[in-house]
Amino acid sequence: MRYSLVADAYERIEATTKRLEMTDYLVELLKKTPKTVIDKVVYLTQGKLYPDFIGIEIGIAEKLAVKAVAKATGRSEEKIEADLKQTGDLGETAQKFLENKQQVTFFPQPLTVERVYETLDKIAKSTGAGSVDQKLNLLAGLLADAEPKEAKYLIRTVTGKLRVGIADMTVLDALAIAYGGGKDLRPLFERAYNVSSDLGRVAKTVVESGPEALKNFSVSLGEPIRPMLAERLSSPKEILEKLGGICIAEYKYDGERVQVHKNGGEVTLFSRRLENITSQYPDAVEIVMESLIPEKVIFEAECVAVDVDTGEMKPFQELMHRRRKYGIQEAAKENPVSLFMFDVLYVDGRDLTLETYPVRHKILQTIAKKHDRIRVANSIIADNPEKLEKFFEEAIENGCEGLICKSIREDSVYQAGARGWLWIKYKRDYKSEMRDTVDLVVVGAFHGRGKRAGTYGALLLAAYNPKKDEYETVCKCGSGFTDEDLANIPKMMSAHQMLHRHPRVESKLEADVWFEPKIVLEIIGAEITLSPIHTCAENVLREGSGLAIRFPRFTGKFRSDKAAEDATTVDEIVEMYRSQLKTIES
Ligand code: AMP
C-alpha cells in the first residue's frame, strides 16, 4: 500500500473540525487498506507502532530530525533551523524543503506503508553505540524517497507530533462502519478493545475473520484491561437510591491505581493509562510475589506510599517521584508502598469480568496470603445513609479521600473502559461552596500581557463529555501558577499545539492558541454558575446556558496520571452544581 494514501487521508482529517467528516475520511482510508497492513495503518494513525502497553515509542529528538531533513534535501542544518523558527513545525519545514529539493534522488522508490512501518520500527528499536547515526540514516533514507506531503507526516510521526486528532473511539466507529455492517455491532467492537487495549489487533481480527470473531476476545495476561471508572454523587441518600438501596462501600485510597498481572514468576504493573509501570514499583512487585496465591491472576489495587516512621499513608504526590528513571530504589526505600486490592478480573484461566461484584469481591478475599503490606480495601455493606455517612467519616479520618460505593446487583459486572453508575464515588462534601477539586483538560490559551508577556495569561480548560466524546469549556484559569509553572507551561504545551481548534473541543471562546486535549490540571474554584459563554453542559440546565467554574485556581498538581478522557466529566460538574443549589435552597 502506498504511504501517500495515508498522508492524503491525514491531510483531509486534519483540515476538518467536524467529527462525522473525520470519521468518513477514516472509513475511506480503512476500506482502501489491504488486510495485511490494517493493524499497522491503525497504529500509525495514532502516531504509534504498537499499543501503548508494549512501551515502544518512535521518539526521535527534533535536533536529529533536523539533521535528517538536511541530509535528505542537501540543505544546511542552519537553513532548516531558520525556517523551523518561522513555521514552528518541522513537518511543514520538511515539506517546503522537499518541494525545492537541491539533491536529486536517483531511482526513487515510492514509499509503501510496509517500508515506512518497518523503518520506523528499526528506528524505535535501535539502541546503544552507533544508534544515533543509524536512526539518522534510516530517517534520511525515507525522506529522500518521500513526496513533500509524505515527508511532513513522517517528520510529525517520528517527533511524536502527529496530531490529526483521531481518538480511539473514532477508530472503533470507523472500523464498525467499514467492516462491521454499521453501528449495531459497535458494542462488540468496544468490548474487544476494552479487554485487549489493542486497536490494531481488533482491526486485524475484523478484516481477517469478520466481526463475529471479536466475540473470542477475552481477558488475557499481559494485555491490560481498560479500567472501569466511577460516577460521582454528593449525598449518601442519593447514592443508595441509585444503587438500589444497598451497596458495598469501600475506602477510596489516595494513591496510584495499578492493574497487576501475575503470570507465574513474572509480574507486570499497568497504570490507569495502561502504560507498563513495573519498573517504578520494585517494592510492589516484591509484595505481589510474596503474597499472591494463584499462579495466574489479574487484580486491581491502589498503590499508596507509606511513611516508614509513622506507618501513615502519604499523599498521592509522593508517588510522582517514581515517574523517573533513576533513584527509584531509593524512593522505594524512603516511601515504600502498600497495596489495597479492590477488584479481581482473572484467576487461573477464568475471566471474571462478567461476574457480579459480590462474586468477584468474595474471590478477592482469597487471592493473597496474610501480609502486612497488601490487603483488600476496607469495606462494609451499607443499606442506610447513616451507616454510609459514618463509614465515610471514618475513611477521611484514616487519611482516605472518601468512599467508592459499588453496586451488588445482578448487572454489577466489571465495566471495562466505562464510567457508569455501578461505581459511585463520594468525596469530601462541597455543599455550600465548591471545596472539592476538579481535574480539567487544557484545550487553549490566551497570551499574557505586562508581567505575563511571553507566557500565557490564562488557560482555557474543559471537562470531558463521554457521551459525545468531546471536551466542553468550563473556565479560563490564570491563578495559582508559580513563576516556574509560567515558564514551563508554554514549553510543555508546545508539543500539543494545533493550528486550529481541536475537532473534539466545543468552545464559544476564541483562544489565541489551541491545543490537542492531553494535559490535565487539578483546579479548585469558588462556585459553579450558569454561563452563556462556556459550553459545559450547554442547554442541559437552561436553554442557551452552560456551566462555568468561578474564580478557578490551579492547585499546583499536574494530573499526569490522568489521560484527557479521565478528566472530570460534564455530568460530574452538573451534579456538583445541583448539590450546591440544594444547600442554598435548604
Ligand atoms: P477519581 O480518580 O477521583 O476519578 O476516582 C477513581 C479512582 O479511585 C480509581 O481510579 C482508583 O484509582 C481510586 N480508588 C481508590 N480506592 C478505590 C476502591 N476501593 N475502589 C475503586 N477505586 C478506588
Side-chain angles (χ1 to χ4, degrees):
M1 178 188 194
R2 294 281 291 267
Y3 183 65
S4 60
L5 289 173
V6 178
D8 285 343
Y10 287 166
E11 191 171 53
R12 274 187 279 166
I13 290 171
E14 196 182 32
T16 180
T17 53
K18 299 201 183 84
R19 264 305 280 294
L20 288 179
E21 265 180 29
M22 191 172 189
T23 313
D24 286 347
Y25 295 141
L26 189 58
V27 169
E28 257 172 54
L29 173 67
L30 294 176
K31 280 188 174 158
K32 280 186 213 151
T33 305
K35 280 183 190 171
T36 46
V37 290
I38 188 92
D39 50 346
K40 299 190 165 96
V41 169
V42 165
Y43 296 131
L44 285 173
T45 56
Q46 308 227 296
K48 299 174 191 168
L49 297 171
Y50 298 95
D52 285 340
F53 62 85
I54 301 285
I56 296 179
E57 286 172 24
I58 316 174
I60 276 204
E62 196 166 73
K63 273 222 146 44
L64 192 63
V66 167
K67 283 200 168 83
V69 176
K71 190 166 175 177
T73 57
R75 300 295 188 93
S76 70
E77 282 171 45
E78 291 72 32
K79 277 231 159 67
I80 313 275
E81 293 273 9
D83 192 76
L84 173 61
K85 278 219 171 76
Q86 305 238 305
T87 60
D89 169 15
L90 186 59
E92 217 174 286
T93 296
Q95 180 175 21
K96 220 194 265 175
F97 279 78
L98 270 164
E99 271 157 10
N100 309 298
K101 198 151 86 164
Q102 299 215 320
Q103 196 158 286
V104 182
T105 310
F106 296 104
F107 314 115
Q109 304 249 324
L111 290 187
T112 59
V113 169
E114 292 83 346
R115 178 174 160 207
V116 167
Y117 186 90
E118 272 160 31
T119 313
L120 297 187
D121 196 35
K122 273 193 202 140
I123 292 178
K125 289 177 181 161
S126 136
T127 52
S131 67
V132 175
D133 280 345
Q134 195 188 6
K135 286 180 193 215
L136 171 64
N137 290 332
L138 287 166
L139 180 58
L142 277 185
L143 292 173
D145 283 338
E147 288 168 15
K149 192 193 296 177
E150 293 176 324
K152 173 162 87 178
Y153 292 109
L154 276 176
I155 286 291
R156 288 190 185 166
T157 303
V158 297
T159 53
K161 290 182 181 166
L162 183 81
R163 293 190 293 268
V164 279
I166 303 171
D168 300 352
M169 291 302 142
T170 317
V171 177
L172 288 179
D173 278 340
L175 278 172
I177 297 169
Y179 296 105
K183 292 237 159 168
D184 288 356
L185 291 179
R186 176 60 211 267
L188 206 55
F189 282 74
E190 218 166 304
R191 159 105 188 139
Y193 176 49
N194 285 337
V195 297
S196 67
S197 310
D198 187 345
L199 274 180
R201 186 152 83 88
V202 172
K204 202 162 181 76
T205 306
V206 173
V207 296
E208 281 180 351
S209 317
E212 286 295 311
L214 292 178
K215 289 194 179 136
N216 301 330
F217 269 66
S218 70
V219 164
S220 50
L221 278 164
E223 286 186 356
I225 299 147
R226 300 186 66 237
M228 174 165 180
L229 304 170
E231 284 286 355
R232 152 154 145 182
L233 283 174
S234 54
S235 84
K237 191 166 161 275
E238 283 172 301
I239 291 174
L240 282 171
E241 271 164 19
K242 199 84 187 176
L243 294 175
I246 186 164
C247 68
I248 294 183
E250 296 176 1
Y251 276 15
K252 181 179 192 300
Y253 299 90
D254 186 14
E256 174 161 22
R257 182 176 192 156
V258 287
Q259 193 181 103
V260 182
H261 291 228
K262 176 189 172 230
N263 190 359
E266 196 187 333
V267 175
T268 315
L269 308 181
F270 295 106
S271 69
R272 170 182 179 140
R273 302 177 65 171
L274 311 180
E275 305 128 329
N276 185 331
I277 49 166
T278 316
S279 61
Q280 289 177 25
Y281 291 108
D283 39 353
V285 171
E286 206 172 290
I287 299 171
V288 172
M289 282 315 296
E290 283 168 9
S291 64
L292 264 283
I293 300 165
E295 263 297 290
K296 296 170 190 277
V297 59
I298 302 176
F299 69 92
E300 282 195 299
E302 195 77 358
C303 201
V304 184
V306 176
D307 189 312
V308 244
D309 299 326
T310 63
E312 274 179 13
M313 293 195 275
K314 291 201 152 189
F316 159 83
Q317 282 94 320
E318 285 302 326
L319 291 178
M320 291 296 112
H321 302 313
R322 304 263 183 134
R323 297 205 176 276
R324 58 184 182 197
K325 282 214 173 101
Y326 307 102
I328 290 198
Q329 291 292 350
E330 290 73 20
K333 273 217 183 75
E334 254 167 59
N335 289 307
V337 291
S338 284
L339 294 174
F340 296 93
M341 299 184 284
F342 60 77
D343 216 322
V344 57
L345 310 179
Y346 175 95
V347 172
D348 290 334
R350 183 169 163 214
D351 179 345
L352 300 173
T353 54
L354 297 176
E355 300 290 348
T356 63
Y357 190 53
V359 172
R360 303 201 308 280
H361 197 235
K362 201 160 167 205
I363 297 174
L364 190 63
Q365 321 287 329
T366 66
I367 60 172
K369 284 186 241 168
K370 209 169 161 30
H371 190 288
D372 54 5
R373 308 260 305 280
I374 183 167
R375 60 186 162 90
V376 179
N378 261 351
S379 71
I380 55 163
I381 293 191
D383 56 4
N384 67 67
E386 294 72 34
K387 200 168 169 188
L388 205 54
E389 185 67 31
K390 201 161 152 250
F391 194 54
F392 171 76
E393 298 295 340
E394 183 195 307
I396 301 277
E397 250 165 55
N398 286 317
C400 290
E401 273 191 299
L403 301 177
I404 304 259
C405 303
K406 300 182 176 178
S407 165
I408 55 175
R409 286 190 284 200
E410 284 299 295
D411 62 352
S412 58
V413 296
Y414 187 87
Q415 280 183 321
R419 189 186 294 280
W421 291 102
L422 297 178
W423 283 10
I424 303 177
K425 57 189 166 193
Y426 178 34
K427 297 217 266 182
R428 251 176 216 296
D429 87 286
Y430 35 79
K431 275 179 186 148
S432 55
E433 59 196 273
M434 190 186 153
R435 258 186 284 152
D436 199 6
T437 58
V438 284
D439 300 319
L440 300 177
V441 189
V442 186
V443 296
F446 300 87
H447 295 313
R449 290 193 215 132
K451 246 177 63 192
R452 292 258 180 112
T455 177
Y456 300 134
L459 299 178
L460 182 61
L461 300 175
Y464 180 56
N465 184 335
K467 284 180 216 122
K468 297 189 186 157
D469 188 23
E470 66 185 26
Y471 298 88
E472 301 176 358
T473 72
V474 66
C475 63
K476 263 167 82 170
C477 176
S479 340
F481 298 99
T482 60
D483 289 347
E484 200 186 336
D485 291 334
L486 288 173
N488 286 337
I489 286 174
K491 276 185 228 150
M492 184 169 101
M493 293 312 301
S494 72
H496 307 291
Q497 197 163 329
M498 298 190 69
L499 298 175
H500 52 65
R501 181 175 57 74
H502 190 279
R504 292 196 290 138
V505 168
E506 280 296 312
S507 174
K508 289 191 207 166
L509 291 171
E510 257 314 306
D512 295 328
V513 190
W514 291 106
F515 304 115
E516 181 191 24
K518 276 274 169 200
I519 303 292
V520 181
L521 304 183
E522 189 181 75
I523 300 292
I524 179 116
E527 59 174 336
I528 301 173
T529 54
L530 286 168
S531 151
I533 59 168
H534 284 288
T535 52
C536 174
E538 196 174 13
N539 302 330
V540 172
L541 295 149
R542 184 185 295 168
E543 205 51 39
S545 278
L547 288 176
I549 294 176
R550 289 188 67 204
F551 309 120
R553 188 165 50 78
F554 176 46
T555 64
K557 207 160 153 185
F558 289 93
R559 293 295 311 255
S560 48
D561 62 316
K562 284 200 167 182
E565 284 87 356
D566 300 326
T568 297
T569 62
V570 168
D571 283 351
E572 286 176 307
I573 305 237
V574 170
E575 184 46 45
M576 289 167 90
Y577 175 75
R578 286 203 171 120
S579 80
Q580 176 189 289
L581 275 190
K582 261 178 235 150
T583 24
I584 297 169
E585 283 160 5
S586 60

